[in-house]
Amino acid sequence: MPMRPSKEWVAIKMAERGGRGSGGHGSLDKSITLPPDEIFRNLENAKRFAIDIGGSLTKLAYYSTVQHKVARVRSFDHSGKDIEHEPLYEISVQEEITARLHFIKFENTYIETCLDFIKDHLVNTETKVIKATGGGAYKFKDLIEKKLGLKVDKEDVMTCLIKGCNFVLKNIPHEVFAYQKDSDTEFRFQTNHPNIFPYLLVNIGSGVSIVKVETEDKFEWIGGSSIGGGTFWGLGALLTKTKKFDELLQLASKGQHTNVDMLVKDVYGGAYQTLGLSGNLIASSFGKSTTADKEFSKEDMAKSLLHMISNDIGQLACLYAKLHNLDKIYFGGFFIRGHPVTMRTITYSINFFSKGEVQALFLRHEGYLGAIGAFLKGAEQDNPNQYSWGENYAGSSGLMSTSPDVFPMQRTRSGTFDMFEMDRLERPLVNLPLLKDPSTYIPDTVDLTDDAMARKYWLTCFEEALDGVAKRAAASQPDSIDASERAEKFRQKYWNKLQTLRQQPFAYGTLTVRSLLDTREHCLNEFNFPDPYSKVKQKENGIALKCFQSVIESLDSLGWEERQFALVKGLLAGNVFDWGAKAVSDVLESEPQFGFEEAKSKLQERPWLEDSYSQWLERLKEGPPHKCALIFADNSGIDIILGVFPFVRELLSRGTEVILACNSGPALNDVTYSESLIVTERIAAMDPVIHRLDKGLAVLVRERETDLVIIEGMGRAIHTNYYAALKCESLKLAVIKNSWLADRLGGKIFSVIFKYEVPCK
Amino acid sequence: AVPPDFFPWFGLDIGGTLVKLVYFEPKDITAEEEEEEVENLKSIRKYLTSNVAYGSTGIRDVHLELKDLTLCGRKGNLHFIRFPTHDMPAFIQMGSEKHFSSLHTTLCATGGGAYKFEQDFRTMGDLQLCKLDELDCLIKGVLYIDSVGFNGRSECYYFENPTDAERCQKLPFNLENPYPLLLVNIGSGVSILAVYSKENYKRVTGTSLGGGTFFGLCCLLTGCSTFEEALEMASHGDSTKVDKLVRDIYGGDYERFGLPGWAVASSFGNMMSKEKRESVSKEDLARATLVTITNNIGSIARMCALNENINRVVFVGNFLRINTISMRLLAYALDYWSKGQLKALFLEHEGYFGAVGALLELLGSA
């Protein structure tokens, strides 16, 4: 398998062309073949164009509406029908329109080809203006206006940059990272803080701008320096006769600055101990080249220059941070732009000058900030800032490999098109108000970027399950003629993503089981498989509903204490039915008769791996009924109907209100919101205590004074939230359906986690 | 009174690039003393005071000589001598040949070289150095020289109208009540100190972009071989051909940020272009290097002054020797960017304060 992200389709013709040397691309033919549907996607609906033209890279942005298929479930009208043999509800695949933001980055060399391509594919005529920013916007103004027939509307560079920065900081998880070259994980992704302001943005372009950003609209240029990327490039070109910025960095990464710089030990013979200055510190940059008769190597001079400039910028940034009392500095600009060499030297400098008090931070989508900002300026009437946006992992290229030694191919950016896509989320994302400390809430239990063993295991796990998922996807659309072809494309795309993640686990931020699942859903959606498990879920919901009443009857026949245990056991047994777990899906595929009772028999006997059942029982016995319980339900079928609902019923009969929270969109056989409505409706018909509330969850949670949160299933209670601290009582329960994980936690497959927690007063 | 055999009085500051030596020449020697004076001492005094150059690289800055100074009850002249640090072995050799060690004196030395060459002094010259901290010496030296004045004139000065060639004036500044002050010592590298009283000071920060960087880069870019040559070239060059100015990018001022068009946006920024690299002269490059380093020091000093809440910034160090371009630039930059809140001050004896401090330590410990 080629280890590059799927960019094989960019065909670059190499041609010998003598005599041309402009822009350093003399021998590279500028004609490239752009495959439609791959790079500038959805151009037919595109509007609100924006372009950011930098010194060497162009970033194009536009807004499109994506029509994609969604699975809808609809209740049958059962009156007068044979309920016994009809499915519970009807599944239909419908078209839904959602908004998507597209950002494409390419070399300025290809700008003409790209503009032609856009013109050829642009159907929409209502767009009249293109927002433009960046230093190159002037230079290409006429070309853009001529090619696209759009009026170029210039926007201020820094305003765009900051708008873009605010946008990614708010919307993209793990956008921010600290860089640590010498640790196992180069990238330390930061959890998004609910309040992003104030911060310091240091943009290192040809010069350096230091901007303090206080609110969405308020920012101030507080200083700058003329020693920046242009100094490295210009002075570097003079000293080494090397013309290109990237080549200068390459030189620098091979050099020894100690041959050129005067170190403290060159002056002192050792350290300057009274001040605690190490002998290896640079006392005077280029202090050893104060002679006319010695030759210095290009590499050494480039390295010395790199240190000089990085240290200087870091020092000034720290002085400004101190003056304004800020401890976070985001660095951007072409000097940084994903270059490990400069991220490393800047990080070193900040640590040195701030004595660790200030953190140097970088952004995954730093190169897109200007384009995003310019786009937002032009799209104000669509109010993009009022929505939540999510990175589409299927359509985004991810962070490039940073180690020049591992991936020389990727460091040569020529001919590669980098893409970033964001989807508008159905509703704004907010933190659950019951979180004890939203600013430190880290949903994911295991960081797979950090934990190489777990990463290997999970990547293999997802690889092994892939054929099955692709098969299931094709089978979910028996009436579609191209279903198997699309399923294969999906398989290929997700496979490639998994291979990329094997090499570059940091490509999309912190790698987690959740992000692997999300990536799979994005890839499925991309090939129009909105809900591969819809039929399975439909069948299982139907079967489970038929058993509901007998389960209730048998529970009701038990004494109170026995019943409480049976309810918990039922909840756990229900959770065994998970198509996402290979151990279970194998059983379900081969033993169609495997049912609720069989599942109960699989469960670990008490004491469980994590067992606070006695405390929970005590609480039920001694304490007053909870006001309101919030339950995050997991799977369709037996899980929700025979596991969760009887439990809900018991809570209701105690006088506790219950809010049932389900996924808004499909993920494997997880029960979706719309399925849960039908199921609830049917159960309510049998059991009048249940009725429907339709409001935003966060509002509901506050309004009903939720004092108990129940989180069910591996995905919700183990892979994520296991360590989440809440303000109220919580119950996290799951069955471990994976021997590797069970082993890791010190148990066996089908071990039980029953974690009842009361917040400390 | 100090016993005669305590002479000679030296203070030595061995920096990364230059060695600074101050020598007190007693002028009140009595006939009796003269008779008792050993030959060695006489010959050293004669050698130092009758020459202005020593070997091929040693120079006495005659114009800085302090006359009729009273030190420890003795009257005399203070001489200021410098030579490159790479000639240190020859200097030690000479000391050995002149049997310096027979004079029973202590040699007080500061600067990094006091540590680096300590062993050489002992083995080659049979001399035990008294090593002193360079920042302690620097501050002692500054405060002392400022207090005795410069042969009746003021040691401290500033520039009025620093950017206006016609109206620019060097004017004396009374540093009678010096605290607090920010002391920026520009040698090969730069140290920045906040001084609150005679005894109370701290090193705020430092930068490796100093005089050594200017000279080192000039050597690489222009092929020059002395600091004087580099400065001479710089005085004939035009840095705006090398640097990218705000107006080169925005066509004029960048009003959004209140940046004037003449400000440098990117030092050496024009050198990203091949055509422009081919059209600049060595003089232009030397000037740009000087302006870049100077502005950067000004910028860091200004930020330190703000952070420490100090509004007087005193620049010293040999980078400023015969370097009016840098001094005016510092004066202007500090004034402009602080909107008149900060004042750049300079001292006549630029790079010699460490050596003076070392001499004072010698006398203080006697």
Side-chain angles (χ1 to χ4, degrees):
Chain A
M1 234 27 240
M3 294 305 173
R4 283 175 291 152
S6 46
K7 292 212 171 55
E8 291 82 357
W9 29 260
V10 180
I12 301 165
K13 295 178 206 152
M14 298 294 285
E16 289 301 323
R17 267 199 194 180
R20 288 192 48 200
S22 68
H25 288 280
S27 61
L28 186 69
D29 190 331
K30 291 177 185 177
S31 66
I32 49 168
T33 317
L34 298 175
D37 312 327
E38 296 281 10
I39 298 175
F40 297 102
R41 309 201 307 163
N42 300 317
L43 273 176
E44 48 290 355
N45 312 304
K47 56 176 186 173
R48 315 233 181 281
F49 280 86
I51 195 162
D52 173 11
I53 309 177
S56 55
L57 293 171
T58 297
K59 283 76 69 173
L60 187 84
Y62 56 92
Y63 174 98
S64 81
T65 46
V66 189
Q67 254 193 345
H68 67 101
K69 299 210 176 351
V70 286
R72 290 255 182 264
V73 294
R74 203 175 65 201
S75 224
F76 280 122
D77 175 13
H78 286 284
S79 55
K81 285 203 175 163
D82 177 6
I83 295 176
E84 284 299 302
H85 298 100
E86 280 287 324
L88 176 63
Y89 50 82
E90 170 184 39
I91 305 165
S92 63
V93 173
Q94 292 173 0
E95 296 283 330
E96 193 189 62
I97 292 177
T98 54
R100 182 172 290 178
L101 305 183
H102 301 256
F103 301 92
I104 301 103
K105 183 161 72 183
F106 51 87
E107 289 206 0
N108 289 355
T109 327
Y110 303 130
I111 198 162
E112 234 179 298
T113 318
C114 290
L115 292 175
D116 282 334
F117 182 88
I118 292 164
K119 185 168 182 51
D120 292 346
H121 291 80
L122 191 62
V123 195
N124 188 310
T125 48
E126 71 182 65
T127 296
K128 300 242 182 329
V129 173
I130 179 165
K131 288 282 179 189
T133 186
Y138 279 121
K139 200 171 141 193
F140 291 100
K141 181 172 180 280
D142 293 342
L143 184 74
I144 298 166
E145 295 198 331
K146 197 182 87 198
K147 292 272 180 193
L148 295 184
L150 300 175
K151 194 181 155 299
V152 168
D153 191 3
K154 277 215 56 166
E155 287 292 340
D156 175 67
V157 178
M158 199 52 72
T159 311
C160 291
L161 205 60
I162 284 151
K163 257 193 173 328
C165 192
N166 292 340
F167 193 75
V168 294
L169 287 178
K170 275 189 304 185
N171 285 285
I172 309 297
H174 302 144
E175 175 63 30
V176 178
F177 62 89
Y179 187 76
Q180 295 175 314
K181 177 65 191 167
D182 300 317
S183 81
D184 290 344
T185 37
E186 287 168 66
F187 299 87
R188 285 255 143 239
F189 293 100
Q190 315 283 303
T191 33
N192 288 33
H193 199 276
N195 186 14
I196 60 171
F197 304 109
Y199 64 86
L200 207 59
L201 179 68
V202 177
N203 193 57
I204 315 175
S206 51
V208 181
S209 286
I210 301 176
V211 181
K212 180 182 177 186
V213 185
E214 282 173 287
T215 67
E216 193 64 55
D217 302 303
K218 192 177 167 211
F219 66 88
E220 187 192 354
W221 185 90
I222 55 170
S225 168
S226 67
I227 299 185
T231 316
F232 179 69
W233 195 343
L235 196 46
L238 289 168
L239 292 171
T240 68
K241 315 284 176 242
T242 303
K243 296 179 192 97
K244 285 194 191 166
F245 180 74
D246 283 21
E247 286 170 14
L248 276 166
L249 280 183
Q250 282 285 347
L251 280 182
S253 64
K254 287 181 267 174
Q256 277 295 333
H257 76 102
T258 51
N259 293 333
V260 184
D261 290 341
M262 183 188 285
L263 308 185
V264 166
K265 68 178 170 206
D266 295 320
V267 185
Y268 273 79
Y272 181 179
Q273 272 160 356
T274 31
L275 284 183
L277 299 179
S278 138
N280 289 319
L281 283 181
I282 306 171
S284 173
S285 295
F286 288 89
K288 276 186 192 152
S289 68
T290 51
T291 161
D293 30 61
K294 215 181 135 196
E295 287 288 314
F296 295 89
S297 88
K298 290 179 177 185
E299 288 81 2
D300 294 350
M301 289 189 289
K303 179 65 168 260
S304 174
L305 187 60
L306 175 70
H307 277 306
M308 173 181 113
I309 289 167
S310 301
N311 285 338
D312 192 54
I313 295 169
Q315 179 172 26
L316 277 167
C318 283
L319 286 166
Y320 279 100
K322 188 178 172 199
L323 191 64
H324 293 266
N325 212 4
L326 298 168
D327 59 2
K328 272 184 195 164
I329 310 179
Y330 300 117
F331 284 91
F334 79 74
F335 186 70
I336 298 292
R337 205 137 301 165
H339 296 295
V341 193
T342 53
M343 290 197 287
R344 184 184 189 178
T345 51
I346 287 284
T347 302
Y348 172 85
S349 172
I350 292 291
N351 284 338
F352 175 78
F353 284 108
S354 78
K355 299 180 178 75
E357 280 172 26
V358 175
Q359 209 177 8
L361 296 167
F362 306 93
L363 303 168
R364 277 200 292 141
H365 298 101
E366 188 277 320
Y368 288 109
L369 301 185
I372 294 171
F375 167 81
L376 292 172
K377 280 292 243 179
E380 270 157 4
Q381 58 209 97
D382 294 322
N383 293 321
N385 259 324
Q386 284 180 4
Y387 297 93
S388 286
W389 298 81
E391 179 173 9
N392 186 310
Y393 296 129
S396 302
S397 310
L399 208 59
M400 286 284 183
S401 169
T402 60
S403 167
D405 310 323
V406 182
F407 274 117
M409 282 299 289
Q410 287 189 0
R411 297 304 302 171
T412 55
R413 289 197 165 86
S414 328
T416 57
F417 282 69
D418 190 88
M419 290 177 299
F420 175 38
E421 293 186 0
M422 281 188 269
D423 287 320
R424 195 170 83 192
L425 306 180
E426 280 174 69
R427 43 186 73 77
L429 286 183
V430 292
N431 277 315
L432 186 69
L434 298 172
L435 279 177
K436 200 166 190 178
D437 181 7
S439 64
T440 58
Y441 170 61
I442 299 170
D444 305 287
T445 308
V446 179
D447 177 346
L448 300 180
T449 12
D450 227 7
D451 187 336
M453 283 247 294
R455 177 170 73 240
K456 264 188 210 136
Y457 170 78
W458 284 110
L459 286 169
T460 309
C461 201
F462 277 87
E463 275 171 18
E464 285 173 359
L466 183 53
D467 284 345
V469 176
K471 221 186 279 170
R472 184 67 58 189
S476 73
Q477 296 176 356
D479 304 331
S480 161
I481 39 166
D482 66 344
S484 43
E485 194 188 316
R486 282 184 289 118
E488 173 54 23
K489 280 189 184 162
F490 151 73
R491 199 193 63 77
Q492 197 51 250
K493 178 139 200 170
Y494 190 54
W495 176 266
N496 288 344
K497 291 275 172 199
L498 291 174
Q499 301 321 304
T500 304
L501 289 167
R502 258 192 205 279
Q503 297 301 323
Q504 294 154 228
F506 48 79
Y508 298 94
T510 299
L511 185 68
T512 61
V513 175
R514 182 168 61 110
S515 74
L516 284 168
L517 285 166
D518 285 348
T519 308
R520 184 161 73 188
E521 291 308 320
H522 292 171
C523 290
L524 279 166
N525 277 324
E526 168 133 358
F527 295 101
N528 273 320
F529 292 111
D531 193 358
Y533 286 82
S534 55
K535 291 245 187 296
V536 177
K537 290 187 287 182
Q538 180 193 39
K539 190 173 148 223
E540 288 177 350
N541 283 333
I543 294 170
L545 267 176
K546 285 183 193 135
C547 307
F548 180 73
Q549 242 153 1
S550 69
V551 169
I552 292 296
E553 276 160 26
S554 90
L555 283 167
D556 284 348
S557 71
L558 301 172
W560 185 85
E561 198 158 326
E562 255 182 314
R563 189 167 71 242
Q564 301 312 313
F565 187 65
L567 282 166
V568 165
K569 216 172 156 189
L571 198 52
L572 291 164
N575 194 245
V576 169
F577 294 86
D578 185 346
W579 282 89
K582 201 169 176 297
V584 176
S585 64
D586 288 349
V587 173
L588 295 178
E589 295 273 14
S590 57
E591 292 173 48
Q593 293 314 307
F594 187 85
F596 199 36
E597 292 310 314
E598 286 81 353
K600 281 185 195 163
S601 71
K602 288 260 183 197
L603 293 180
Q604 181 193 16
E605 291 295 323
R606 285 194 68 193
W608 294 321
L609 194 54
E610 168 88 46
D611 193 340
S612 33
Y613 178 73
S614 310
Q615 289 93 311
W616 168 246
L617 190 71
E618 196 68 15
R619 165 66 184 86
L620 290 181
K621 230 190 262 178
E622 307 294 333
H626 296 92
K627 274 205 186 85
C628 175
L630 167 63
I631 304 184
F632 290 94
D634 190 0
N635 304 307
S636 273
I638 292 178
D639 194 351
I640 177 126
I641 294 166
L642 303 184
V644 175
F645 266 105
F647 197 86
V648 168
R649 198 173 163 274
E650 181 74 15
L651 286 171
L652 291 172
S653 66
R654 274 172 64 86
T656 301
E657 279 194 304
V658 178
I659 303 167
L660 199 58
C662 304
N663 280 5
S664 51
L668 290 164
N669 68 325
D670 286 14
V671 61
T672 64
Y673 171 67
S674 46
E675 287 158 359
S676 77
L677 288 182
I678 293 170
V679 166
T680 309
E681 195 181 294
R682 294 297 301 276
I683 291 175
M686 297 182 252
D687 211 332
V689 281
I690 290 164
H691 62 115
R692 175 181 158 175
L693 283 167
D694 205 359
K695 267 191 184 168
L697 183 60
V699 178
L700 215 48
V701 161
R702 275 198 205 96
E703 192 182 277
R704 303 277 155 159
E705 299 174 53
T706 302
D707 53 358
L708 172 66
V709 173
I710 300 171
I711 307 174
E712 182 216 3
M714 290 221 299
R716 288 167 185 75
I718 297 180
H719 296 323
T720 62
N721 296 320
Y722 190 69
Y723 298 115
L726 297 167
K727 284 188 210 158
C728 64
E729 290 171 51
S730 65
L731 201 51
K732 294 167 188 166
L733 30 79
V735 180
I736 302 169
K737 289 148 289 193
N738 166 320
S739 25
W740 180 85
L741 185 63
D743 192 44
R744 206 172 217 228
L745 297 172
K748 289 201 169 70
I749 190 156
F750 298 118
S751 286
V752 168
I753 297 290
F754 188 96
K755 197 177 180 187
Y756 170 63
E757 290 166 303
V758 181
C760 30
K761 290 278 149 59
Chain B
V2 180
D5 64 344
F6 183 56
F7 285 120
W9 293 354
F10 281 115
L12 191 60
D13 175 5
I14 312 167
T17 311
L18 284 177
V19 181
K20 283 77 64 175
L21 179 72
V22 294
Y23 167 65
F24 183 79
E25 173 204 2
K27 287 294 224 180
D28 54 358
I29 298 176
T30 56
E32 197 177 281
E33 264 180 334
E34 182 128 23
E35 207 142 295
E36 282 177 28
E37 197 176 22
V38 293
E39 261 328 290
N40 266 346
L41 200 55
K42 263 189 200 129
S43 113
I44 287 170
R45 188 169 74 231
K46 193 146 186 293
Y47 175 68
L48 290 176
T49 55
S50 61
N51 291 301
V52 293
Y54 313 94
S56 58
T57 55
I59 284 166
R60 180 154 63 91
D61 282 313
V62 182
H63 67 286
L64 292 180
E65 183 178 331
L66 292 179
K67 297 205 163 75
D68 297 327
L69 201 64
T70 308
L71 251 180
C72 279
R74 301 298 301 250
K75 252 184 159 34
N77 296 341
L78 197 57
H79 298 276
F80 298 87
I81 297 161
R82 63 185 149 90
F83 59 90
T85 305
H86 59 74
D87 287 334
M88 210 46 216
F91 175 78
I92 299 171
Q93 189 62 39
M94 187 181 75
S96 154
E97 280 159 15
K98 291 198 185 294
H99 302 289
F100 201 86
S101 58
S102 66
L103 295 173
H104 306 292
T105 186
T106 318
L107 191 52
C108 278
T110 185
Y115 296 81
K116 190 179 175 183
F117 295 101
E118 186 186 15
Q119 183 73 13
D120 293 346
F121 270 103
R122 197 180 306 132
T123 54
M124 291 167 63
D126 191 26
L127 269 170
Q128 184 68 38
L129 284 191
C130 169
K131 305 193 295 291
L132 299 163
D133 181 76
E134 62 175 294
L135 301 181
D136 288 342
C137 290
L138 175 69
I139 289 169
K140 274 209 171 70
V142 165
L143 297 174
Y144 173 75
I145 299 287
D146 183 67
S147 70
V148 298
F150 183 23
N151 298 327
R153 288 184 284 138
S154 170
E155 171 71 15
C156 185
Y157 61 95
Y158 71 102
F159 288 95
E160 203 176 59
N161 309 312
T163 50
D164 189 333
E166 306 278 295
R167 291 165 56 226
C168 178
Q169 277 196 81
K170 180 178 158 183
L171 293 175
F173 186 87
N174 186 350
L175 203 59
E176 226 174 328
N177 185 9
Y179 311 110
L181 69 82
L182 199 73
L183 187 60
V184 182
N185 185 32
I186 318 174
S188 317
V190 182
S191 273
I192 301 182
L193 318 175
V195 188
Y196 300 101
S197 75
K198 205 165 183 162
E199 307 296 327
N200 181 15
Y201 76 90
K202 66 173 180 189
R203 183 179 188 271
V204 179
T205 189
T207 165
S208 70
L209 285 83
T213 315
F214 161 67
F215 183 30
L217 280 173
C218 272
C219 289
L220 294 171
L221 293 170
T222 69
C224 69
S225 52
T226 65
F227 180 73
E228 289 76 4
E229 206 184 326
L231 277 183
E232 177 64 18
M233 275 188 168
S235 70
H236 294 111
D238 178 0
S239 62
T240 65
K241 290 187 177 148
V242 180
D243 294 339
K244 204 182 266 280
L245 307 186
V246 167
R247 65 164 179 258
D248 296 332
I249 301 173
Y250 296 100
D253 298 349
Y254 186 25
E255 278 156 22
R256 181 82 180 74
F257 288 164
L259 285 175
W262 53 258
V264 184
S266 173
S267 297
F268 287 84
N270 281 339
M271 298 297 92
M272 291 187 276
S273 132
K274 189 168 179 277
E275 294 76 43
K276 289 190 172 155
R277 276 201 297 277
E278 281 159 5
S279 71
V280 294
S281 68
K282 288 182 172 185
E283 287 76 13
D284 297 337
L285 291 172
R287 180 64 166 244
T289 309
L290 188 64
V291 169
T292 301
I293 299 300
T294 305
N295 274 337
N296 190 61
I297 294 168
S299 175
I300 292 173
R302 183 174 65 89
M303 288 309 297
C304 291
L306 284 175
N307 271 319
E308 301 301 322
N309 205 14
I310 295 176
N311 55 27
R312 278 183 305 192
V313 185
V314 180
F315 293 93
V316 295
N318 268 322
F319 173 67
L320 299 175
R321 194 174 63 81
I322 56 164
N323 187 358
T324 324
I325 299 174
S326 288
M327 288 193 280
R328 284 199 200 171
L329 210 51
L330 286 169
Y332 182 74
L334 238 58
D335 181 73
Y336 181 87
W337 295 108
S338 75
K339 298 188 173 72
Q341 295 301 298
L342 298 178
K343 195 165 200 75
L345 303 172
F346 304 92
L347 299 175
E348 298 284 0
H349 287 82
E350 287 136 0
Y352 284 108
F353 299 107
V356 172
L359 173 68
L360 294 172
E361 285 287 345
L362 169 78
L363 302 179
S365 65

